[in-house]
Amino acid sequence: MKIARFSRIGFILAAAGSAVGLGNIWKFPYIAGEYGGGAFVLVYLATVLLIGFSIMIAEMLIGYLGRRDTVTSFEVLAPKNKHLWRLGGFQGLAGLFIMIFYSVVIGWIFNYIVTSLFSLPADVQEAEATFTTMLHSDFLTQFFYHTLAFIGITYVLNRGIKGGIEKLNLILMPMLMLILAGMFIYATTLGAFSQAVEFMFAPDWSKIDSEAFVTAVGHAFFTLSLGMGAIMTYAASLEKDSNLVKAAFWVVFLDTAIAIVAGLMLFTFLYQYGSGPAKGPGLVFISLPAAFYEMGILGNIFAVLFFLALAFAGLTSSVSLVEPMVQYFIDRFGWSRLRAALTMGTFFWFLGIFAILSNIDGAKEYLTWGGKNFFDWVDYVTAAIMLPLGGLIMAVFVGFVIPRSEVEKVMRPQLGWAYDAWYFSLRYITPVAMFVVMLSLMGVL
């Protein structure tokens, strides 16, 4: 089945929407906080530039040359052993598995949009109690908002490339950037902004160890949506004369800029109204609401706007996580888009219920193995194994399997003098780096 084509701006916004998700606004600031701020930020930026950008171009190239779903693209581009290389296309399953917990987190955000309208916790202790009660006791609230996320995401997927995914990103991405820009401008007027800048950019190298480097690489893959087939699927919808390098640059630039802006904004609010950068995932759901409370009525407005921005980021990236497998069933089995979208949506919705239950008192005991509950296991397997493995497969496939002449014909005119360095890195540096990262995240190294 012929894939509908993105407009050029539609592709950049859709790919950026895929990359700009909860990883930028929720995960990046608290990881930066855990590893001392500035030093980790510099390591992360270097990782994005040297590895993330290189892999993104490779992933775009596979989709651009294959012009089909991820599985078929690997199959048609492999000169031999097609039956084996098509397995590389099933990296789209990573996105579907991520959605099992991602949809639950989006549900939390929906809940916080509503509660922020009426009340904010007066201090960190109250905020922690509120979040803990929701997480461990309130199954029905989580189930309701998780289902709401499933309905919205499935609706957009059913509308297709042009009428659904592109339109969603043309609306939500500018709104996301407008909200963050407004809150960031306000943050620059506060006295604590200089503290946030120092924390984010003054490196404390004593906080950096091998674990920090591995975390930076792993997070770069998560936040850039690499190794899950999303960028590849979107690139299959590019026009033939598209410039992959420019598109990749804008996606990486927007993704990284939003992560930095979000970090500076959040840390400014925390220094000004809270106790400084909190550690762990509670930064957004515990520490930040308490800081917003200190602003008075302005805090309610900012809280609603912030969680709206977070919801927009989550939704734009969610459709990209599911689309690779939707397109696979359309291409390979001739399914209607409605059937494919409903089937994939039902998959992550149903398993998402178990992700919720794995945190609920009285049920979590039955959904916990090896020190991790079901929610954490899905997060671990996708981040530690599936995404790095997807990146490793793409680097090897472009560097050694696709005929060099085909790669050079497309990429040398676009990369110019940097082509040889990019191709060398893709063949000999990136695969080793991804293999080491995967072993480290799995705890082997």
Side-chain angles (χ1 to χ4, degrees), residues 192-314:
F193 183 72
S194 59
Q195 287 179 271
V197 171
E198 182 178 359
F199 178 76
M200 287 281 288
F201 296 110
D204 178 4
W205 294 108
S206 67
K207 299 281 188 178
I208 296 299
D209 53 18
S210 59
E211 181 182 331
F213 277 96
V214 169
T215 301
V217 176
H219 185 66
F221 262 67
F222 182 85
T223 189
L224 289 173
S225 285
L226 298 174
M228 58 184 75
I231 300 298
M232 192 187 309
T233 301
Y234 283 180
S237 300
L238 276 171
E239 298 292 345
K240 272 293 187 181
D241 59 345
S242 299
N243 189 307
L244 304 185
V245 176
K246 287 183 179 178
F249 168 78
W250 279 111
V251 173
V252 171
F253 173 78
L254 288 172
D255 177 78
T256 307
I258 287 176
I260 297 297
V261 166
L264 286 171
M265 177 190 72
L266 297 187
F267 289 132
T268 297
F269 291 153
L270 289 169
Y271 276 120
Q272 185 79 17
Y273 300 106
S275 57
K279 293 185 178 182
L283 185 148
V284 163
F285 293 108
I286 297 174
S287 302
L288 196 60
F292 283 140
Y293 174 84
E294 298 295 329
M295 301 182 192
I297 188 64
L298 182 63
N300 289 87
I301 296 171
F302 273 7
V304 171
L305 289 175
F306 173 77
F307 285 112
L308 274 174
L310 201 56
F312 293 164

Side-chain angles (χ1 to χ4, degrees), residues 104 108 111-112 125 127-143 281-282 285-286 353-368 371-376:
V104 174
W108 298 347
N111 181 40
Y112 269 70
Q125 288 74 26
E128 186 171 8
T130 300
F131 181 72
T132 302
T133 298
M134 180 200 70
L135 185 66
H136 296 304
S137 305
D138 197 346
F139 170 79
L140 288 179
T141 295
Q142 294 186 75
F143 175 78
F285 293 108
I286 297 174
I353 295 172
F354 289 93
I356 296 172
L357 288 171
S358 68
N359 284 311
I360 297 292
D361 292 335
K364 62 184 180 183
E365 294 81 5
Y366 303 100
L367 293 165
T368 301
K372 289 184 174 67
N373 63 20
F374 179 69
F375 186 109
D376 293 333

Side-chain angles (χ1 to χ4, degrees), residues 31-55:
I31 292 177
E34 286 183 335
Y35 289 100
F40 178 82
V41 171
L42 291 177
V43 171
Y44 171 76
L45 292 176
T47 297
V48 167
L49 183 63
L50 299 176
I51 298 178
F53 185 56
S54 176
I55 289 289

